[in-house]
């Protein structure tokens, strides 16, 4: 697998991720939702100033630090992916790395630029792209757009469950986006297939290091 293939995967995920976010941002009010498949899949517009799946790092400085961390991770990630390609690592590992890199870059774009290019979203008005009065926040302070919601199960937990018994429960409750999904798929796939991804490369390196017998 060549480095340009990694770039194409990153670009493809970014295009899909950003296209959906732009459409959501400019066509839906905050908390508006469309039911795609009843009871288990909805498009539900929400935003978060923090990490994947609605997690947050508190305060203004927390937001800035998180965005800068994402930026550093993406820059280092591209360089590291180039090294992995040169070392001829397993194609599956390179694809997963590209997905993780694309996901990080997708949410980084939101954090860096969405506050500058969009007006504020509320429960009544749809956001405007490139508003005359400027965006809703400064550089590095944009909110990440989330929309994929899979409430597969809703109901009350059995009373015998410790601490949470009898409470109303939703699975799967977090709302996320394409970038989050790309990161999760990449990480989970590497964890599941790590032996396959790394064994062949380690085996190849061991073979290359073996001394060559010299015959007279």
């Amino acid at each position: 697998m060549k480095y340009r293939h990694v770039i194409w995967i990153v670009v493809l995920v970014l295009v899909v991720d950003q296209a959906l976010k732009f459409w959501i941002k400019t066509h839906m009010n905050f908390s508006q939702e469309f039911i795609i498949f009843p009871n288990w899949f909805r498009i539900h517009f929400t935003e978060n100033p923090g990490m994947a799946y609605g997690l947050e790092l508190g305060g203004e400085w927390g937001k800035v630090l998180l965005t800068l961390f994402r930026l550093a991770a993406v820059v280092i990630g591209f360089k590291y992916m180039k090294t992995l390609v040169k070392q001829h690592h397993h194609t599956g590992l390179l694809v997963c790395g590209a997905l993780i890199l694309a996901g990080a870059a997708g949410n980084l774009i939101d954090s860096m630029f969405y506050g500058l290019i969009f007006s504020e979203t509320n429960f009544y008005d749809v956001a405007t792209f490139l508003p005359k009065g400027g965006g809703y926040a400064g550089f590095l302070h944009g909110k990440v757009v989330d929309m994929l919601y899979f409430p597969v199960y809703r109901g009350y937990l059995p009373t015998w469950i410790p601490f949470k018994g009898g409470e109303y429960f939703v699975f799967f409750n977090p709302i996320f986006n394409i970038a989050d999904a790309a990161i999760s798929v990449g990480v989970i796939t590497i964890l599941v297939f790590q032996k396959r991804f790394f064994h062949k490369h380690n085996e190849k390196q061991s073979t290359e290091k073996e001394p060559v017998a010299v015959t007279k």
Side-chain angles (χ1 to χ4, degrees), residues 69-84:
F69 174 78
R70 281 179 176 150
L71 178 59
V74 169
V75 172
I76 294 172
F78 273 107
K79 293 183 178 180
Y80 185 60
M81 286 299 299
K82 186 175 289 187
T83 300
L84 293 180

Side-chain angles (χ1 to χ4, degrees), residues 42-58:
R42 306 179 183 194
I43 297 295
H44 182 101
F45 177 27
T46 187
E47 294 176 303
N48 82 79
M51 297 173 279
Y53 300 102
L55 300 176
E56 297 184 17
L57 188 63

Side-chain angles (χ1 to χ4, degrees), residues 50-188:
M51 297 173 279
Y53 300 102
L55 300 176
E56 297 184 17
L57 188 63
E60 291 296 317
W61 281 108
K63 173 63 180 175
V64 172
L65 289 174
L66 178 61
T67 304
L68 292 176
F69 174 78
R70 281 179 176 150
L71 178 59
V74 169
V75 172
I76 294 172
F78 273 107
K79 293 183 178 180
Y80 185 60
M81 286 299 299
K82 186 175 289 187
T83 300
L84 293 180
V85 171
K86 288 181 179 179
Q87 293 177 349
H88 303 290
H89 275 268
H90 193 286
T91 300
L93 177 63
L94 299 178
V95 171
C96 290
L99 290 175
I100 295 170
L101 191 56
N107 286 334
L108 176 64
I109 291 172
D110 295 29
S111 299
M112 292 180 68
F113 302 113
Y114 273 30
L116 298 173
I117 64 176
F118 288 111
S119 62
E120 184 71 70
T121 299
N122 56 47
F123 293 97
Y124 310 102
D125 301 312
V126 174
T128 302
F129 178 59
L130 296 179
K132 292 183 179 180
Y136 65 83
F139 183 57
L140 302 180
H141 286 79
K143 299 175 184 177
V144 177
V145 176
D146 293 325
M147 77 295 293
L148 303 178
Y149 184 33
F150 291 86
V152 177
Y153 171 80
R154 294 184 176 205
Y156 290 92
L157 294 173
T159 55
W160 53 264
I161 295 179
F163 305 111
K164 295 290 184 178
E167 293 186 6
Y168 189 72
F169 175 74
V170 179
F171 180 85
F172 178 71
N173 197 41
I175 302 172
F176 58 101
N177 55 44
I178 299 294
D180 297 333
I183 294 172
S184 297
V185 169
V187 171
I188 293 172

